[in-house]
Amino acid sequence: MWNSVLHSFPIQLLKLHLKKNIALVGIWVLLVLIFSGNFGKVLGIPYLFLDPEYLNRVSWLGFFLMGIGFAVFTMAFHMTTYIMDAAKFQFLAVLSRPFIRFCINNSIIPFAAYLIYFLSFILFQLDNELDDQWEIVKFVLGFMGGNVLTFLLLFSYFALTNKDFFVMFTDTLDKRLRKTKVSRANVIKRYKDRKRAERKVDTYLDIDFKLKPVREDLARFEGNKLLKVFDQNHLNLFIIETVLVGVILFLGFFRDYEFLQFPAAMSVMLIFSILTLLVGALTFWLRSWSTFIAIALFVIFNMASSTPIMNRPHSALGLDYDGDPAEYNLARLRTLLHPDTVSKDKSKTVEILNNWRAKFLEDKKPKMMVITSSGGGQRAALWTLHVLQQIHQKTGERFMEHTRLFTGASGGVVGAAFFRELYLRSLHDDSIDLTDHKYLEQISSDNLNPIIFTLMINDLLIRNQHVTYNGRKYLEDRGFAFENQLNINTQGILDKPLSAYAAPELNADIPMLPVTPLIVNDGRKLFIAPHSMSYMGISTEQLTGEEEKSQSIDFLRFFNEQDAGSLRFISALRMGATFPFITPNIQLPSEPQMELMDSGLSDNFGINDALRFLYVFEDWIAENTSGVVLVTIRDSEKNLEIEKKTPPTIMQKLFTPLKNIYINWDNVQTLNNETLFNFMKERSPYELDRVEFEYSAKDFVERQKNMDLGEDEENKELEIQRASLNWRLTAREKSDILNCINSYQNQQSLKRLAEIFNRQ
């Protein structure tokens, strides 16, 4: 019995894959690590699979599409391994429906992955505390429905087209086969290889799932005819591979239709399918040359990718890319920071501040409020908007009248910009309730599905579609998909040029809100605002003649000839929220080409920019205000417990240096900001207070202990996974973020702000 199992076809295929097809097995291992939460949890990757969202809701339809994606990838795995390895097992050629039988015996790895996925997503959904537990049953049935339907369609095709040895080599069909030009590359070589190979399979799993013995009389069949059976099967597989890739490319032309924006995880499965099918296609046509040709094609493609045809920029909508590019060199930067220019920009901002001061009683100096919001993808956008709504409510709807500046990074700026626009509209529309929960739903609606779908069918495969904005044509990419979906989610209220905010800011109707992405070329910041802010990039010492490297570039002046004022404001927000690999780095029309990255790399909390602004205008602030309140909205905890260290493994030793850099980046910025704030507080000629809000998992844990679990030793180790750093949040994550405002620290901060405004 043991020998029968050991030499069975499923086990032999498993051994072959572990020995020869480790890359294909590696994809399954990666998927299992994702399902089980052991890979990408901080970025929320597992939730894309365990809680797929389609048409802005998690339903059986999303799981139905996931079932299709899993089936397509599974079949891609079967087809590719059949093309590469089926000829090693000649007994298949004399069986009816050889490919279907191969799939049954080749299912150990897929079956294990499916089992882990089912367990993972059921446990995840149970933990989500759904109101109706039958929803989980619907999810399971939806997944199985999509999975089974796809398998039935594909297997029906194979059952009708793939023929076994006895069908192919009757007299009539044999003559027809001789007239048909089917690719038989290296048939003689493969036949000799098969003759040299020892027979290792004694039994195989049949369609009825019973082990059956392999025929003992294979020697009487002509080897070249056996290989022709596999060739015929391979050709059919190649045809369906081509059709599948063609369908995916075809869908790309209609990706703007919402119902075609598949769940992000399904798009990931389709990307894996294309890569797997590509391996099979290369193997089918090139055989032993496939590895060399693949490497050669990669080298050629890599070299060609630097050409203008293939290396087309990821554009910022609204800018002029057709005219002469802006000169980007040190001489030009020095020219833009001429003392007269900086003085002019400061005077303009003082005019804005004077307009703001004029809105208050002359004999009573107002408090000035500056708000910073940290980056952190969609969780930061939702948390920032929610905190601003709560501040608006607790301060009697007065805090925006006192706020002069928003700073920050990534998602935090997106949330702040959304609230600022709503406030601007509310000045002329009394029907707008800034605390309405629907705005939280809008800012937290899924923004990832169209990005990943566009990455699959456009950026990775073919990038030839254009979008017209303000009379100019730009290439569509996943960055535009992000902008478009954000525009849809927020019902179009942010879709305006940068210059549209010039008058409201000048009249002090709304606070200033510069977007400050990092310039990859030289590490400077790019200040994107409707009014020039050159004073943010140079100190007063530089203006007296001392040499200093400028810290930022003013976008409006630098790209004046490229129509900077027409920049789409949502494009500006995307520049400051460039999530690695998800939204591409934007290239701007300069020579050399300026490339931008996420604001969070330089100042994730916006503290540096806020304090710089206060420093530049400290004399005006001291004379015209009763002090400044700096409100910081963090999407992370400032004071974390020291992590316990355990003896590291070899792999941990290899990756610990990189991990430490990533983890401590937040801590390093926080410590630098603390030093800078304390210095400013001690030397400022006006009163400088700080009120902090934190999205903290620690507070949630404490609440859970006090409410439900008591204070026993076991529960002291209770932890909760923070909302992921992503552009898509689960229902549970949204709830955790919103509930965090009820923590003791955040409630005390709201109380402090209420007291400050009661004295105004």
Side-chain angles (χ1 to χ4, degrees), residues 138-406:
K138 293 180 184 178
F139 295 164
V140 173
L141 293 177
F143 180 89
M144 293 178 63
N147 206 250
V148 172
L149 178 62
T150 307
F151 280 131
L152 285 176
L153 291 174
L154 292 174
F155 280 130
S156 296
Y157 169 80
F158 294 130
L160 293 173
T161 57
N162 284 2
K163 301 175 177 66
D164 58 45
F165 184 90
F166 299 103
V167 173
M168 287 186 64
F169 292 101
T170 57
D171 291 338
T172 304
L173 288 177
D174 195 25
K175 292 176 183 177
R176 189 183 304 168
L177 186 65
R178 294 192 189 98
K179 296 178 182 179
T180 305
K181 294 182 179 180
V182 179
S183 174
R184 295 173 177 79
N186 299 322
V187 169
I188 302 301
K189 180 180 181 299
R190 284 184 286 154
Y191 173 53
K192 291 179 180 178
D193 290 342
R194 298 296 81 74
K195 285 189 69 175
R196 287 194 295 266
E198 297 181 3
R199 185 170 65 87
K200 299 179 180 179
V201 178
D202 294 331
T203 58
Y204 67 93
L205 199 62
D206 207 356
I207 293 177
D208 58 4
F209 296 100
K210 293 182 180 179
L211 282 176
K212 295 185 178 179
V214 171
R215 295 182 65 133
E216 299 285 346
D217 57 348
L218 289 177
R220 69 188 183 88
F221 298 100
E222 295 183 33
N224 63 327
K225 289 186 176 181
L226 290 174
L227 289 175
K228 288 177 183 178
V229 175
F230 292 117
D231 265 346
Q232 174 262 160
N233 292 169
H234 293 174
L235 183 60
N236 284 329
L237 295 178
F238 179 74
I239 290 172
I240 200 166
E241 290 172 2
T242 305
V243 170
L244 286 173
V245 175
V247 168
I248 292 172
L249 290 174
F250 178 76
L251 291 175
F253 292 98
F254 304 95
R255 65 177 179 272
D256 291 335
Y257 292 93
E258 189 177 12
F259 71 92
L260 285 179
Q261 293 173 1
F262 303 142
M266 180 189 179
S267 297
V268 171
M269 298 300 289
L270 293 178
I271 292 173
F272 285 159
S273 300
I274 292 173
L275 295 176
T276 303
L277 293 172
L278 184 62
V279 172
L282 288 174
T283 303
F284 172 69
W285 291 109
L286 303 174
R287 304 307 303 178
S288 59
W289 284 91
S290 58
T291 302
F292 173 78
I293 297 298
I295 295 174
L297 288 174
F298 175 79
V299 172
I300 294 172
F301 181 80
N302 182 61
M303 295 174 62
S305 64
S306 62
T307 62
I309 295 177
M310 297 189 66
N311 191 31
R312 292 176 289 185
H314 296 283
S315 307
L317 272 63
L319 290 183
D320 182 8
Y321 283 78
D322 297 325
D324 294 333
E327 292 184 16
Y328 184 18
N329 51 51
L330 291 178
R332 175 107 192 282
L333 297 184
R334 293 191 187 99
T335 301
L336 294 176
L337 289 174
H338 188 277
D340 292 342
T341 300
V342 176
S343 178
K344 180 180 178 181
D345 291 348
K346 289 177 67 175
S347 298
K348 190 70 174 182
T349 302
V350 168
E351 181 182 353
I352 295 174
L353 294 174
N354 286 332
N355 290 339
W356 169 73
R357 178 65 182 87
K359 294 178 181 292
F360 299 92
L361 296 175
E362 187 175 349
D363 60 345
K364 188 174 182 181
K365 295 181 179 181
K367 280 281 187 183
M368 176 188 285
M369 184 177 290
V370 174
I371 299 178
T372 71
S373 52
S374 72
Q378 198 166 49
R379 77 180 181 210
L382 177 60
W383 175 238
T384 297
L385 178 61
H386 187 47
V387 171
L388 293 177
Q389 285 185 329
Q390 294 297 310
I391 295 175
H392 181 73
Q393 191 174 42
K394 294 292 184 181
T395 59
E397 303 182 354
R398 298 168 56 200
F399 92 95
M400 281 293 282
E401 299 172 3
H402 290 258
T403 302
R404 283 299 83 218
L405 180 69
F406 280 111

Side-chain angles (χ1 to χ4, degrees), residues 628-640:
V628 175
V629 179
L630 178 66
V631 177
T632 63
I633 305 174
R634 298 175 56 103
D635 87 320
S636 60
E637 299 171 26
K638 186 168 74 172
N639 295 305
L640 291 169

Side-chain angles (χ1 to χ4, degrees), residues 534-573:
S534 60
Y535 50 79
M536 296 293 285
I538 204 73
S539 67
T540 54
E541 285 75 11
Q542 170 66 26
L543 302 181
T544 60
E546 293 187 19
E547 186 62 30
E548 177 188 341
K549 180 176 179 178
S550 59
Q551 296 98 55
S552 67
I553 297 175
D554 180 70
F555 171 81
L556 208 60
R557 274 207 174 81
F558 190 89
F559 290 104
N560 179 59
E561 298 298 324
Q562 289 72 38
D563 203 7
S566 296
L567 172 71
R568 190 189 194 195
F569 185 64
I570 296 181
S571 290
L573 293 177

Side-chain angles (χ1 to χ4, degrees), residues 419-525:
F419 185 85
R420 186 180 73 151
E421 177 62 32
L422 290 171
Y423 175 77
L424 176 61
R425 292 176 180 243
S426 72
L427 297 178
H428 309 287
D429 185 353
D430 294 335
S431 66
I432 295 178
D433 178 8
L434 294 180
T435 61
D436 197 322
H437 191 272
K438 70 178 182 181
Y439 300 126
L440 298 174
E441 295 175 352
Q442 290 176 12
I443 200 66
S444 62
S445 294
D446 175 70
N447 207 12
L448 193 62
N449 285 352
I451 296 175
I452 302 300
F453 186 65
T454 304
L455 171 66
M456 174 188 67
I457 51 84
N458 185 302
D459 291 13
L460 290 181
L461 296 177
I462 182 170
R463 189 172 168 222
N464 63 347
Q465 291 181 271
H466 293 79
V467 60
T468 300
Y469 179 81
N470 200 24
R472 298 187 177 107
K473 290 178 65 177
Y474 304 89
L475 281 169
E476 286 194 35
D477 55 17
R478 62 192 185 278
F480 173 76
F482 169 84
E483 293 181 24
N484 190 51
Q485 190 61 45
L486 178 61
N487 192 38
I488 293 172
N489 293 346
T490 56
Q491 299 186 355
I493 69 171
L494 292 170
D495 194 6
K496 52 174 63 176
L498 181 66
S499 59
Y501 288 107
E505 286 192 10
L506 178 62
N507 298 330
D509 294 330
I510 57 174
M512 301 171 68
L513 191 155
V515 182
T516 57
L518 179 72
I519 303 173
V520 175
N521 308 58
D522 55 21
R524 292 179 171 90
K525 284 184 179 182

